[in-house]
Amino acid sequence: MPNIFILKLFLTPSLIGLASLVERKWGAAISGWLIGLPLSSAPIMLFLALEHGTSFASDAARSILLGLISVAVFCLTYSWIALRFNWFPTVIAGWATFFTVTFFLQTAALDAAAVLLFIGVSLVLSVTYALLPKVRKHSLTTLIRPRWDVPLRMIIAAGFVFLLTGMANALGPHLSGLLVPFPLFATILSVFTHRFQGSQAVLSLLRGVVMGAFSFAVFFLTVALTIEPFGVASAFILATVAALSLHGVTLLFLKRNQYEENF
């Protein structure tokens, strides 16, 4: 399908380019909050629905909700390890925890109602946010970033979308869904932020990611509940409205708690 190919090629890379520009203008916390939205996962979900049908997409949406637990653990791991190490061992540790948690989630039967999954995931996100290291505003630093960093982020994002959607049939809806929330944007932005702005900036970024993930959860709860009875277009419109409404609320909370001293 040429139209789907074009969407895959341009949509997700464009979104991560936007998130990168937001980071430069308004800071890491706001950039993290923005990528808490399903900027890569929603397009992947759309491609899965168009290519495999609404039943597959509904099952995958419930697994995506569950997969947010792995994302929360990634953010928590990266944040604490970033205080002592540079980006490379930190991202490896973050990925290791993500895939370890995903492995255990994949072996669990997904028979809980979508609403119960949402409540459980929301509790995990709340605990994760409380356990994240606090950001020391006076420790934030900025280094000169090369011109090629944004195009490289976009290329990596496009590659991941093609890889995951291409493997969806072999993986099935449950494992595909668990992998869709892979912290692609969070990883790309965390590595570049960590490298060029330091550990305190990446802590700020990941606090924004966790806060924004509540809207992510609302999006996929809505898709899981509505895509079979109402169809793809209606489900995505309803999910977008619900997620953006909550996202405005979380932005107010994030701005009020953006910088906290940690002594």
Side-chain angles (χ1 to χ4, degrees):
M1 295 183 183
N3 290 338
I4 293 179
F5 176 84
I6 292 172
L7 281 173
K8 290 180 181 179
L9 187 62
F10 291 105
L11 182 56
T12 298
S14 298
L15 292 172
I16 198 165
L18 173 63
S20 300
L21 295 176
V22 167
E23 176 194 4
R24 291 187 173 186
K25 185 171 180 62
W26 287 292
I30 302 303
S31 178
W33 165 83
L34 178 63
I35 64 172
L37 284 170
L39 298 179
S40 63
S41 300
I44 291 174
M45 183 79 259
L46 176 61
F47 301 142
L48 292 178
L50 293 175
E51 294 175 347
H52 303 285
T54 57
S55 178
F56 185 103
S58 179
D59 290 342
R62 292 165 67 235
S63 294
I64 290 170
L65 261 177
L66 191 61
L68 274 178
I69 296 174
S70 302
V71 176
V73 174
F74 167 86
C75 292
L76 191 62
T77 302
Y78 196 111
S79 294
W80 281 104
I81 295 181
L83 293 174
R84 299 193 61 180
F85 298 97
N86 65 26
W87 67 268
F88 184 75
T90 306
V91 77
I92 295 300
W95 283 353
T97 56
F98 175 89
F99 286 114
T100 299
V101 174
T102 299
F103 172 79
F104 287 107
L105 292 176
Q106 194 271 332
T107 61
L110 190 63
D111 52 7
V115 173
L116 293 179
L117 287 174
F118 173 77
I119 293 172
V121 167
S122 296
L123 290 173
V124 170
L125 291 173
S126 299
V127 171
T128 300
Y129 190 83
L131 294 176
L132 289 172
K134 302 298 186 287
V135 180
R136 297 174 179 171
K137 183 177 180 180
H138 60 271
S139 298
L140 293 173
T141 59
T142 301
L143 300 178
I144 297 174
R145 290 169 287 192
R147 294 180 178 178
W148 47 259
D149 70 332
V150 174
L152 180 59
R153 300 178 193 196
M154 297 170 70
I155 292 169
I156 294 171
F160 179 78
V161 171
F162 277 102
L163 177 64
L164 186 55
T165 55
M167 296 175 60
N169 266 334
L171 297 175
H174 185 37
L175 185 53
S176 294
L178 289 173
L179 290 175
V180 164
F182 177 78
L184 172 66
F185 283 15
T187 294
I188 295 171
L189 292 181
S190 292
V191 167
F192 281 88
T193 300
H194 197 173
R195 170 66 180 83
F196 294 109
Q197 295 180 264
S199 61
Q200 292 300 311
V202 83
L203 298 186
S204 184
L205 174 84
L206 291 172
R207 289 176 74 83
V209 171
V210 174
M211 182 54 60
F214 287 96
S215 303
F216 184 112
V218 166
F219 182 94
F220 285 101
L221 170 66
T222 306
V223 170
L225 294 175
T226 62
I227 195 166
E228 287 193 275
F230 299 128
V232 175
S234 297
F236 272 76
I237 290 171
L238 290 170
T240 300
V241 171
L244 290 177
S245 298
L246 179 60
H247 218 51
V249 175
T250 58
L251 178 60
L252 295 176
F253 180 88
L254 184 65
K255 282 187 172 181
R256 189 172 66 247
N257 297 277
Q258 185 172 357
Y259 296 116
E260 302 176 34
E261 298 296 326
N262 181 30
F263 296 105

